[in-house]
Amino acid sequence: MAMEKTVVLIKPDAFQRGLVGRILSRFERKGLKIVGMKMVKMSPGLAKEHYAHLVDKPFYPGLEKFMTNEPILVFVLEGQEAVEVVRKIVGVTNSRKADAGTVRGDYSMSTGRNTIHASDSIETARAEITRFFAPEELFDYNLKVWDYIYAEDEKE
Ligand code: UDP
Ligand code: MG
């Protein structure tokens, strides 16, 4: 068990479909702490870095166009095992295969329009935090309900 930070992007399809608030509220109600948040417009260069593992795929040009044409919401969530917890809430890449109850399972029918991104490992999360946020854009505030979200032996 370890306190982790992870990155979530809410993609342009979620903005168009009025899902931003509903998606965000799922992470809030789970007990994840929001430690950074902003709207950004991804540049093609940033997209190539963010999707470096996919730049050679046939669908990449469409993915880049989709992710850079309109603004997205980027936020950082903190919690015990946050990377894994958030990926579970998000669901698998192909929304048609994603479990009901996950964001993708409940709100999308698509792989290329799957509403959300989340870091897939602790290392990726670290790289994504640096990619999207300056140090002063992350906040180390005291969440007063922390004692009710975690037991004594779960806080560090
Ligand atoms: N993607 C796509 N077609 C594919 C695979 C991926 O359009 O066949 C898009 C999809 O939006 C996905 C993103 O590329 O969310 C990143 O792919 P990755 O394999 O990293 O999936 P994720 O981590 O988002 O589940
Ligand atoms: Mg990924």
Side-chain angles (χ1 to χ4, degrees), residues 4-5 12-14 20 37 53 58 68 90 97 99 101-102 104 107 116 121 127 129 139 152:
E4 296 169 1
K5 290 188 178 80
D13 52 328
V20 176
M37 178 177 287
H53 59 303
T68 58
V90 166
K97 308 282 185 220
D99 288 339
T102 64
R104 287 167 172 169
Y107 296 139
I116 189 166
S121 70
I129 289 168
F139 297 87
E152 306 306 328

PDB file of all heavy atoms in Angstrom, residues 4-5 12-14 20 37 53 58 68 90 97 99 101-102 104 107 116 121 127 129 139 152:
ATOM      1  N   GLU A   4      -0.190   7.417  -3.669  1.00  0.00           N
ATOM      2  CA  GLU A   4       0.218   7.675  -5.061  1.00  0.00           C
ATOM      3  C   GLU A   4      -0.571   8.835  -5.648  1.00  0.00           C
ATOM      4  O   GLU A   4      -1.675   9.136  -5.201  1.00  0.00           O
ATOM      5  CB  GLU A   4      -0.057   6.428  -5.928  1.00  0.00           C
ATOM      6  CG  GLU A   4       0.749   5.206  -5.550  1.00  0.00           C
ATOM      7  CD  GLU A   4       0.268   3.919  -6.240  1.00  0.00           C
ATOM      8  OE1 GLU A   4      -0.686   3.972  -7.036  1.00  0.00           O
ATOM      9  OE2 GLU A   4       0.846   2.864  -5.956  1.00  0.00           O
ATOM     10  N   LYS A   5       0.020   9.404  -6.687  1.00  0.00           N
ATOM     11  CA  LYS A   5      -0.690  10.408  -7.484  1.00  0.00           C
ATOM     12  C   LYS A   5      -0.847   9.851  -8.891  1.00  0.00           C
ATOM     13  O   LYS A   5       0.044   9.169  -9.405  1.00  0.00           O
ATOM     14  CB  LYS A   5       0.101  11.714  -7.549  1.00  0.00           C
ATOM     15  CG  LYS A   5       0.167  12.479  -6.247  1.00  0.00           C
ATOM     16  CD  LYS A   5       0.800  13.853  -6.482  1.00  0.00           C
ATOM     17  CE  LYS A   5       0.847  14.675  -5.218  1.00  0.00           C
ATOM     18  NZ  LYS A   5       1.956  14.324  -4.328  1.00  0.00           N
ATOM     19  N   PRO A  12     -12.293  15.429 -25.243  1.00  0.00           N
ATOM     20  CA  PRO A  12     -13.281  16.320 -25.860  1.00  0.00           C
ATOM     21  C   PRO A  12     -14.675  15.713 -26.042  1.00  0.00           C
ATOM     22  O   PRO A  12     -15.675  16.443 -25.975  1.00  0.00           O
ATOM     23  CB  PRO A  12     -12.649  16.635 -27.229  1.00  0.00           C
ATOM     24  CG  PRO A  12     -11.176  16.532 -26.982  1.00  0.00           C
ATOM     25  CD  PRO A  12     -11.031  15.396 -26.014  1.00  0.00           C
ATOM     26  N   ASP A  13     -14.774  14.405 -26.257  1.00  0.00           N
ATOM     27  CA  ASP A  13     -16.118  13.806 -26.415  1.00  0.00           C
ATOM     28  C   ASP A  13     -16.948  13.957 -25.150  1.00  0.00           C
ATOM     29  O   ASP A  13     -18.164  14.169 -25.217  1.00  0.00           O
ATOM     30  CB  ASP A  13     -16.027  12.331 -26.847  1.00  0.00           C
ATOM     31  CG  ASP A  13     -15.126  11.473 -25.968  1.00  0.00           C
ATOM     32  OD1 ASP A  13     -14.133  12.007 -25.442  1.00  0.00           O
ATOM     33  OD2 ASP A  13     -15.413  10.277 -25.814  1.00  0.00           O
ATOM     34  N   ALA A  14     -16.297  13.900 -23.983  1.00  0.00           N
ATOM     35  CA  ALA A  14     -17.022  14.064 -22.718  1.00  0.00           C
ATOM     36  C   ALA A  14     -17.518  15.500 -22.547  1.00  0.00           C
ATOM     37  O   ALA A  14     -18.613  15.730 -22.012  1.00  0.00           O
ATOM     38  CB  ALA A  14     -16.135  13.652 -21.546  1.00  0.00           C
ATOM     39  N   VAL A  20     -18.649  15.922 -18.182  1.00  0.00           N
ATOM     40  CA  VAL A  20     -17.459  16.283 -17.390  1.00  0.00           C
ATOM     41  C   VAL A  20     -17.742  16.201 -15.888  1.00  0.00           C
ATOM     42  O   VAL A  20     -17.006  15.556 -15.142  1.00  0.00           O
ATOM     43  CB  VAL A  20     -16.936  17.685 -17.782  1.00  0.00           C
ATOM     44  CG1 VAL A  20     -15.776  18.102 -16.891  1.00  0.00           C
ATOM     45  CG2 VAL A  20     -16.510  17.706 -19.242  1.00  0.00           C
ATOM     46  N   MET A  37      -5.681  20.668 -11.116  1.00  0.00           N
ATOM     47  CA  MET A  37      -6.718  20.575 -12.155  1.00  0.00           C
ATOM     48  C   MET A  37      -6.656  21.785 -13.082  1.00  0.00           C
ATOM     49  O   MET A  37      -6.540  22.920 -12.614  1.00  0.00           O
ATOM     50  CB  MET A  37      -8.093  20.534 -11.491  1.00  0.00           C
ATOM     51  CG  MET A  37      -9.228  20.498 -12.479  1.00  0.00           C
ATOM     52  SD  MET A  37     -10.823  20.361 -11.671  1.00  0.00           S
ATOM     53  CE  MET A  37     -10.776  18.680 -11.119  1.00  0.00           C
ATOM     54  N   HIS A  53       3.621   5.601 -27.291  1.00  0.00           N
ATOM     55  CA  HIS A  53       3.486   4.152 -27.533  1.00  0.00           C
ATOM     56  C   HIS A  53       2.550   3.848 -28.709  1.00  0.00           C
ATOM     57  O   HIS A  53       2.411   2.694 -29.109  1.00  0.00           O
ATOM     58  CB  HIS A  53       3.015   3.438 -26.263  1.00  0.00           C
ATOM     59  CG  HIS A  53       1.693   3.908 -25.715  1.00  0.00           C
ATOM     60  ND1 HIS A  53       1.440   5.221 -25.367  1.00  0.00           N
ATOM     61  CD2 HIS A  53       0.548   3.238 -25.470  1.00  0.00           C
ATOM     62  CE1 HIS A  53       0.202   5.320 -24.917  1.00  0.00           C
ATOM     63  NE2 HIS A  53      -0.366   4.141 -24.969  1.00  0.00           N
ATOM     64  N   PRO A  58      -2.020   2.901 -37.094  1.00  0.00           N
ATOM     65  CA  PRO A  58      -2.811   3.537 -38.158  1.00  0.00           C
ATOM     66  C   PRO A  58      -3.830   4.544 -37.637  1.00  0.00           C
ATOM     67  O   PRO A  58      -4.158   5.512 -38.330  1.00  0.00           O
ATOM     68  CB  PRO A  58      -3.513   2.352 -38.844  1.00  0.00           C
ATOM     69  CG  PRO A  58      -3.279   1.158 -37.993  1.00  0.00           C
ATOM     70  CD  PRO A  58      -2.103   1.427 -37.127  1.00  0.00           C
ATOM     71  N   THR A  68      -6.273  17.129 -29.981  1.00  0.00           N
ATOM     72  CA  THR A  68      -5.665  18.464 -30.042  1.00  0.00           C
ATOM     73  C   THR A  68      -6.628  19.541 -30.563  1.00  0.00           C
ATOM     74  O   THR A  68      -6.336  20.725 -30.452  1.00  0.00           O
ATOM     75  CB  THR A  68      -4.403  18.464 -30.950  1.00  0.00           C
ATOM     76  OG1 THR A  68      -4.767  18.018 -32.254  1.00  0.00           O
ATOM     77  CG2 THR A  68      -3.328  17.563 -30.385  1.00  0.00           C
ATOM     78  N   VAL A  90     -12.003   3.726 -14.380  1.00  0.00           N
ATOM     79  CA  VAL A  90     -12.043   4.113 -15.802  1.00  0.00           C
ATOM     80  C   VAL A  90     -12.542   2.967 -16.686  1.00  0.00           C
ATOM     81  O   VAL A  90     -13.360   3.179 -17.579  1.00  0.00           O
ATOM     82  CB  VAL A  90     -10.652   4.600 -16.252  1.00  0.00           C
ATOM     83  CG1 VAL A  90     -10.545   4.687 -17.771  1.00  0.00           C
ATOM     84  CG2 VAL A  90     -10.356   5.960 -15.626  1.00  0.00           C
ATOM     85  N   LYS A  97     -16.368  -3.166 -24.185  1.00  0.00           N
ATOM     86  CA  LYS A  97     -15.942  -4.301 -23.351  1.00  0.00           C
ATOM     87  C   LYS A  97     -15.801  -3.893 -21.879  1.00  0.00           C
ATOM     88  O   LYS A  97     -15.562  -4.746 -21.019  1.00  0.00           O
ATOM     89  CB  LYS A  97     -14.582  -4.838 -23.820  1.00  0.00           C
ATOM     90  CG  LYS A  97     -14.501  -5.151 -25.302  1.00  0.00           C
ATOM     91  CD  LYS A  97     -15.165  -6.460 -25.637  1.00  0.00           C
ATOM     92  CE  LYS A  97     -14.977  -6.823 -27.099  1.00  0.00           C
ATOM     93  NZ  LYS A  97     -16.181  -7.411 -27.673  1.00  0.00           N
ATOM     94  N   ASP A  99     -16.530  -2.926 -18.132  1.00  0.00           N
ATOM     95  CA  ASP A  99     -17.578  -3.350 -17.198  1.00  0.00           C
ATOM     96  C   ASP A  99     -18.557  -2.215 -16.934  1.00  0.00           C
ATOM     97  O   ASP A  99     -18.164  -1.050 -16.805  1.00  0.00           O
ATOM     98  CB  ASP A  99     -16.947  -3.760 -15.844  1.00  0.00           C
ATOM     99  CG  ASP A  99     -16.198  -5.083 -15.943  1.00  0.00           C
ATOM    100  OD1 ASP A  99     -16.478  -5.866 -16.872  1.00  0.00           O
ATOM    101  OD2 ASP A  99     -15.333  -5.315 -15.078  1.00  0.00           O
ATOM    102  N   GLY A 101     -20.593   0.125 -14.684  1.00  0.00           N
ATOM    103  CA  GLY A 101     -20.128   0.684 -13.415  1.00  0.00           C
ATOM    104  C   GLY A 101     -18.819   1.444 -13.568  1.00  0.00           C
ATOM    105  O   GLY A 101     -18.481   2.262 -12.724  1.00  0.00           O
ATOM    106  N   THR A 102     -18.075   1.173 -14.641  1.00  0.00           N
ATOM    107  CA  THR A 102     -16.880   1.968 -14.926  1.00  0.00           C
ATOM    108  C   THR A 102     -17.290   3.195 -15.755  1.00  0.00           C
ATOM    109  O   THR A 102     -18.387   3.216 -16.335  1.00  0.00           O
ATOM    110  CB  THR A 102     -15.830   1.158 -15.710  1.00  0.00           C
ATOM    111  OG1 THR A 102     -16.351   0.808 -17.003  1.00  0.00           O
ATOM    112  CG2 THR A 102     -15.433  -0.109 -14.968  1.00  0.00           C
ATOM    113  N   ARG A 104     -15.996   4.278 -18.643  1.00  0.00           N
ATOM    114  CA  ARG A 104     -16.143   3.908 -20.056  1.00  0.00           C
ATOM    115  C   ARG A 104     -17.313   2.953 -20.249  1.00  0.00           C
ATOM    116  O   ARG A 104     -18.054   3.050 -21.233  1.00  0.00           O
ATOM    117  CB  ARG A 104     -14.835   3.288 -20.570  1.00  0.00           C
ATOM    118  CG  ARG A 104     -13.735   4.333 -20.754  1.00  0.00           C
ATOM    119  CD  ARG A 104     -12.385   3.676 -20.960  1.00  0.00           C
ATOM    120  NE  ARG A 104     -11.340   4.618 -21.330  1.00  0.00           N
ATOM    121  CZ  ARG A 104     -10.048   4.323 -21.360  1.00  0.00           C
ATOM    122  NH1 ARG A 104      -9.636   3.106 -21.031  1.00  0.00           N
ATOM    123  NH2 ARG A 104      -9.162   5.240 -21.703  1.00  0.00           N
ATOM    124  N   TYR A 107     -20.526   5.249 -20.001  1.00  0.00           N
ATOM    125  CA  TYR A 107     -20.740   6.479 -20.774  1.00  0.00           C
ATOM    126  C   TYR A 107     -20.293   6.415 -22.226  1.00  0.00           C
ATOM    127  O   TYR A 107     -20.390   7.416 -22.936  1.00  0.00           O
ATOM    128  CB  TYR A 107     -20.010   7.662 -20.107  1.00  0.00           C
ATOM    129  CG  TYR A 107     -20.527   8.015 -18.743  1.00  0.00           C
ATOM    130  CD1 TYR A 107     -19.648   8.342 -17.714  1.00  0.00           C
ATOM    131  CD2 TYR A 107     -21.886   8.045 -18.468  1.00  0.00           C
ATOM    132  CE1 TYR A 107     -20.100   8.686 -16.453  1.00  0.00           C
ATOM    133  CE2 TYR A 107     -22.349   8.380 -17.215  1.00  0.00           C
ATOM    134  CZ  TYR A 107     -21.460   8.696 -16.201  1.00  0.00           C
ATOM    135  OH  TYR A 107     -21.912   9.035 -14.965  1.00  0.00           O
ATOM    136  N   ILE A 116     -12.161   9.390 -21.535  1.00  0.00           N
ATOM    137  CA  ILE A 116     -11.235   9.613 -20.414  1.00  0.00           C
ATOM    138  C   ILE A 116      -9.908   8.898 -20.622  1.00  0.00           C
ATOM    139  O   ILE A 116      -9.850   7.875 -21.313  1.00  0.00           O
ATOM    140  CB  ILE A 116     -11.940   9.132 -19.109  1.00  0.00           C
ATOM    141  CG1 ILE A 116     -11.175   9.520 -17.859  1.00  0.00           C
ATOM    142  CG2 ILE A 116     -12.195   7.622 -19.152  1.00  0.00           C
ATOM    143  CD1 ILE A 116     -11.998   9.376 -16.586  1.00  0.00           C
ATOM    144  N   SER A 121       0.532   3.329 -14.976  1.00  0.00           N
ATOM    145  CA  SER A 121       1.490   2.814 -13.984  1.00  0.00           C
ATOM    146  C   SER A 121       2.009   3.992 -13.162  1.00  0.00           C
ATOM    147  O   SER A 121       1.799   5.155 -13.541  1.00  0.00           O
ATOM    148  CB  SER A 121       2.666   2.117 -14.679  1.00  0.00           C
ATOM    149  OG  SER A 121       3.461   3.092 -15.346  1.00  0.00           O
ATOM    150  N   ALA A 127       5.580  10.699 -15.052  1.00  0.00           N
ATOM    151  CA  ALA A 127       5.914  11.394 -16.301  1.00  0.00           C
ATOM    152  C   ALA A 127       4.764  12.312 -16.726  1.00  0.00           C
ATOM    153  O   ALA A 127       4.991  13.431 -17.196  1.00  0.00           O
ATOM    154  CB  ALA A 127       6.217  10.375 -17.392  1.00  0.00           C
ATOM    155  N   ILE A 129       2.455  13.715 -14.793  1.00  0.00           N
ATOM    156  CA  ILE A 129       2.340  14.866 -13.885  1.00  0.00           C
ATOM    157  C   ILE A 129       3.296  15.962 -14.347  1.00  0.00           C
ATOM    158  O   ILE A 129       2.924  17.123 -14.494  1.00  0.00           O
ATOM    159  CB  ILE A 129       2.606  14.450 -12.417  1.00  0.00           C
ATOM    160  CG1 ILE A 129       1.440  13.615 -11.888  1.00  0.00           C
ATOM    161  CG2 ILE A 129       2.831  15.686 -11.527  1.00  0.00           C
ATOM    162  CD1 ILE A 129       1.706  12.911 -10.578  1.00  0.00           C
ATOM    163  N   PHE A 139      -1.171  20.984  -5.414  1.00  0.00           N
ATOM    164  CA  PHE A 139      -1.482  21.526  -4.098  1.00  0.00           C
ATOM    165  C   PHE A 139      -1.441  20.447  -3.031  1.00  0.00           C
ATOM    166  O   PHE A 139      -2.050  19.382  -3.183  1.00  0.00           O
ATOM    167  CB  PHE A 139      -2.855  22.212  -4.137  1.00  0.00           C
ATOM    168  CG  PHE A 139      -2.859  23.391  -5.072  1.00  0.00           C
ATOM    169  CD1 PHE A 139      -3.139  23.220  -6.420  1.00  0.00           C
ATOM    170  CD2 PHE A 139      -2.506  24.652  -4.623  1.00  0.00           C
ATOM    171  CE1 PHE A 139      -3.094  24.292  -7.309  1.00  0.00           C
ATOM    172  CE2 PHE A 139      -2.459  25.724  -5.503  1.00  0.00           C
ATOM    173  CZ  PHE A 139      -2.756  25.554  -6.842  1.00  0.00           C
ATOM    174  N   GLU A 152      -6.347   4.518  10.635  1.00  0.00           N
ATOM    175  CA  GLU A 152      -5.034   4.960  11.146  1.00  0.00           C
ATOM    176  C   GLU A 152      -3.869   4.333  10.372  1.00  0.00           C
ATOM    177  O   GLU A 152      -2.900   5.002  10.042  1.00  0.00           O
ATOM    178  CB  GLU A 152      -4.870   4.572  12.632  1.00  0.00           C
ATOM    179  CG  GLU A 152      -5.983   5.053  13.552  1.00  0.00           C
ATOM    180  CD  GLU A 152      -6.221   6.538  13.458  1.00  0.00           C
ATOM    181  OE1 GLU A 152      -5.250   7.286  13.216  1.00  0.00           O
ATOM    182  OE2 GLU A 152      -7.387   6.962  13.596  1.00  0.00           O
TER     183      GLU A 152
END
